[in-house]
């Protein structure tokens, strides 16, 4: 079996296991099976041309990490990836910022990755590139002479043509994507958006009859590969952490009140201010729910170098303070807001204690929290998932979750109320339905399907 070369902006710590999130689990499992290299940025910046990649071998996997020039890193990561592409792909055009120099830094970092990776490649390797940070990588690897099959998986949504073309030089982005042999998305809708983009830009998009589509002068495979989770692990962690002192303390403290839980990176695409407003709307419109529900939001800070992320943090602190000031009683605080990341085990325990999981992004490629919440439940007395229609996960979990539009606070408030009143039998049926979906398409099925598409 040929080696796999996985490339992503960041490389998970080789010690892996304990802290590895869903994506890292999938990549590591794929690498372990065939052996290979995980290549990416090591977390350090430098001045000027970085030295050769640092190689660390663990079993049959080599972790190869490079430094990036400080000025290029700011342009590439903060400005272009997180200031331009992320808002564009999440339809947040109001905060999209575009700067040609940042785009050039993005291209340079992709050239750097290609330059440093090329000497490590063997002729029969297969290459799997992850996410929007590395869209030009196949193009740059081809220019450097690489002929191996190269696949790309986009973890975030792909926008419709009308949104895509707000990006100056958007055709360059489509051209770069057409240099991959396999282009994978989270949902069918994302595939349609990409194919529609190719067609509207006059770059191809017609089926070739062999399951591939024509793009420029190439034939590429475009398909949906919805990412899954390690279902059994989340279920076991959920059950096991009921023994943990801090999970028991939370359960005791709740008494007969019900827990509503949200867990997200602190990102404006996750709809946190809107979620807080929806909870406020619930307390306003349904006084009976006061004192009965406690909303716990755990939001870990990310991308703190980007202004929009500093602003949303302040907005949430204000909003939690305002809602608590308005509704709290001496023995009841409606919102508990934790501004840091917690261990996965603890999260799975909190999920299991919760009656309602609130997952209401304004747009999301998939959203693994929705899946983790479901997997961590007690099947005999499961909680209910309230899920945004605009998350990729809604395409899979639509029948079992209560779907909402995150822009509609009254609709979300009504769904929370409905979830809190749902009879046990209905909760069990919905949960079983969703577990079936999760088991049929777990993280291992996801990586197997993608590797198969890339060819052995
Ligand atoms: P993210 O936008 O990071 O991922 P998500 O899918 O929700 O979003 O994954 C987040 C992961 O981090 C989950 O495993 C979750 O448990 C963990 N996490 C979140 N908040 C946490 C906290 N406060 N403390 C500890 N852990 C926390 C991108 C795309 C998604 C897509 C994934 C995978 O934006 O749409 O689902 O990649 O493809």
């Amino acid at each position: 079996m040929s080696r796999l070369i996985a490339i992503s902006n960041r490389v998970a710590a080789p010690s892996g296991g304990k802290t590895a999130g869903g994506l890292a689990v999938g990549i590591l499992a794929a690498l372990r099976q065939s052996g290979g290299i995980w290549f990416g940025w090591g977390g350090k910046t430098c001045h000027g041309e970085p030295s050769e990649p640092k190689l660390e071998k663990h079993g049959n996997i080599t972790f190869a990490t490079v430094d990036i020039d400080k000025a290029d890193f700011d342009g590439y990561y903060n400005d272009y990836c997180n200031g331009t592409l992320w808002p564009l792909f999440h339809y947040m055009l109001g905060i999209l910022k575009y700067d040609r120099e940042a785009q050039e830094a993005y291209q340079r970092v992709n050239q750097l990755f290609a330059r440093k990776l090329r000497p490590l490649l063997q002729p029969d390797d297969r290459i799997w590139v992850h996410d929007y940070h590395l869209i030009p990588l196949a193009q740059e690897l081809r220019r450097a002479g690489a002929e191996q099959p190269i696949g790309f998986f986009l973890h975030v949504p792909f926008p419709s043509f009308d949104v895509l073309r707000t990006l100056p030089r958007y055709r360059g982005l489509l051209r770069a994507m057409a240099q991959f042999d396999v282009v994978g998305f989270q949902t069918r809708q994302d595939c349609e958006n990409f194919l529609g983009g190719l067609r509207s830009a006059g770059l191809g998009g017609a089926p070739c009859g062999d399951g591939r589509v024509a793009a420029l002068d190439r034939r590429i495979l475009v398909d949906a590969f919805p990412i899954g989770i390690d279902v059994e692990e989340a279920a076991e962690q959920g059950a096991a952490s009921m023994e943990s002192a801090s999970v028991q303390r939370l359960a005791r403290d709740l008494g007969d009140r019900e827990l509503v839980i949200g867990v997200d990176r602190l990102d404006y695409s996750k709809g946190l201010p809107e979620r807080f407003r929806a909870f406020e709307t619930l307390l306003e419109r349904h006084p009976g729910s006061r004192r009965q529900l406690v909303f716990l939001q755990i939001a870990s800070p990310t991308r703190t170098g980007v202004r929009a992320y500093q602003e949303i943090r302040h907005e949430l602190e204000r909003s939690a303070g305002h809602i608590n000031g308005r509704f709290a009683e001496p023995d009841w605080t409606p919102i508990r807001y934790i501004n840091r990341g917690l261990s996965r085990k603890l999260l799975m325990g909190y999920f299991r204690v919760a009656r309602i999981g609130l997952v209401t992004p304004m747009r999301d490629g998939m959203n693994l929290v929705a899946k983790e919440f479901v997997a961590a439940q007690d099947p005999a007395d499961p909680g209910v998932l309230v899920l945004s229609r605009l998350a990729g996960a809604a395409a899979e979990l639509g029948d079992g979750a209560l779907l909402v539009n995150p822009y509609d606070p009254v609709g979300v408030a009504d769904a929370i109320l409905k979830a809190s009143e749902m009879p046990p039998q209905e909760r069990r049926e919905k949960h079983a339905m969703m577990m079936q979906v999760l088991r049929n398409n777990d993280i291992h099925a996801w990586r197997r399907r993608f590797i198969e598409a890339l060819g052995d």
Side-chain angles (χ1 to χ4, degrees), residues 436-454:
Q436 195 56 49
V437 174
L438 295 189
R439 287 201 166 104
N440 288 346
N441 182 37
D442 69 358
I443 185 79
H444 301 293
W446 171 74
R447 54 113 178 141
R448 266 197 306 272
R449 274 195 62 219
F450 196 94
I451 303 287
E452 247 172 60
L454 204 47

Side-chain angles (χ1 to χ4, degrees), residues 264-312:
D264 309 77
R265 279 189 306 103
L266 214 180
D267 191 300
Y268 49 82
S269 69
K270 303 291 181 186
L272 298 177
E274 293 80 1
R275 192 182 299 169
F276 280 26
R277 267 196 290 285
F279 194 69
E280 182 178 19
T281 304
L282 171 75
L283 301 177
E284 220 168 55
R285 288 168 58 98
H286 303 284
S289 65
R290 295 179 201 165
R291 309 181 72 97
Q292 291 313 307
L293 298 178
V294 171
F295 173 26
L296 172 62
Q297 175 65 52
I298 302 166
S300 49
T302 50
R303 305 176 190 173
T304 46
V306 181
R307 180 125 176 247
Y309 288 77
Q310 297 155 4
E311 287 169 0
I312 194 185

Side-chain angles (χ1 to χ4, degrees), residues 334-390:
I335 299 189
R336 299 177 185 186
Y337 173 45
I338 298 181
N339 191 215
R340 62 173 186 275
L342 299 180
S343 76
R344 290 181 65 72
K345 272 195 186 143
L346 207 51
L347 283 182
M348 299 309 136
Y350 290 166
F351 283 153
R352 199 170 172 108
V353 169
R355 170 50 50 87
I356 298 162
L358 259 189
V359 182
T360 54
M362 312 314 280
R363 199 162 286 270
D364 218 328
M366 174 56 61
N367 196 300
L368 296 178
V369 172
K371 295 187 168 184
E372 291 163 352
F373 173 81
V374 172
Q377 295 305 304
D378 175 359
D381 184 23
V384 180
L385 177 65
V386 174
L387 177 62
S388 165
R389 293 178 188 285
L390 304 176

Side-chain angles (χ1 to χ4, degrees), residues 59-258:
N60 60 352
I61 307 174
T62 301
F63 295 83
T65 50
V66 278
D67 299 346
I68 300 177
D69 171 74
K70 170 80 174 86
D72 273 356
F73 179 77
D74 288 342
Y76 151 76
Y77 186 73
N78 288 330
D79 298 340
Y80 197 68
C81 288
N82 292 330
T84 305
L85 292 181
W86 179 272
L88 176 77
F89 285 6
H90 290 85
Y91 289 67
M92 309 250 161
L93 301 184
I95 56 165
L96 186 152
K97 296 211 167 29
Y98 176 79
D99 169 22
R100 279 196 179 201
E101 280 176 24
Q103 191 176 28
E104 281 151 21
Y106 175 73
Q107 198 71 34
R108 274 198 301 280
V109 169
N110 274 270
Q111 281 160 3
L112 168 78
F113 271 37
R115 198 162 65 243
K116 299 291 184 190
L117 176 63
R118 180 73 183 92
L120 305 178
L121 295 177
Q122 295 172 4
D124 61 352
D125 286 342
R126 292 158 302 163
I127 303 173
W128 188 4
V129 178
H130 289 266
D131 231 2
Y132 59 101
H133 312 85
L134 300 173
I135 291 173
L137 190 56
Q139 201 171 44
E140 296 298 344
L141 281 167
R142 302 277 183 232
R143 280 186 187 140
E147 289 174 355
Q148 293 84 348
I150 313 180
F152 175 70
F153 182 74
L154 186 68
H155 290 261
V156 299
F158 194 81
S160 69
F161 181 64
D162 239 3
V163 170
L164 179 69
R165 69 192 175 129
T166 55
L167 176 72
R169 304 164 160 182
Y170 69 89
R171 287 167 60 90
L173 183 139
L174 289 169
R175 283 177 178 280
M177 288 175 81
Q179 296 306 313
F180 289 95
D181 299 295
V182 178
V183 183
F185 297 96
Q186 299 274 24
T187 68
R188 248 351 287 165
Q189 184 60 55
D190 296 314
C191 297
E192 293 307 322
N193 289 348
F194 173 63
L195 293 171
L198 285 178
R199 285 194 289 269
S200 302
L203 299 174
C208 299
D210 58 355
R212 300 189 170 242
V213 295
L216 301 171
D217 54 352
R218 314 186 66 252
R219 285 166 43 251
I220 62 177
L221 184 75
V222 176
D223 206 351
F225 300 87
I227 192 169
I229 59 165
D230 189 330
V231 184
E232 303 317 324
E233 184 198 70
E236 277 160 26
Q237 284 180 344
S241 46
M242 294 308 280
E243 305 297 316
S244 121
S246 85
V247 173
Q248 288 183 354
R249 256 198 319 276
L250 173 64
R252 250 197 327 274
D253 183 63
L254 286 167
D256 53 9
R257 289 181 179 134
E258 287 179 342

Side-chain angles (χ1 to χ4, degrees), residues 2 10 38 49 82 113 126 206 218 262 326:
S2 58
R10 287 302 302 265
W38 190 348
E49 176 72 10
N82 292 330
F113 271 37
R126 292 158 302 163
R218 314 186 66 252
R326 185 171 169 204

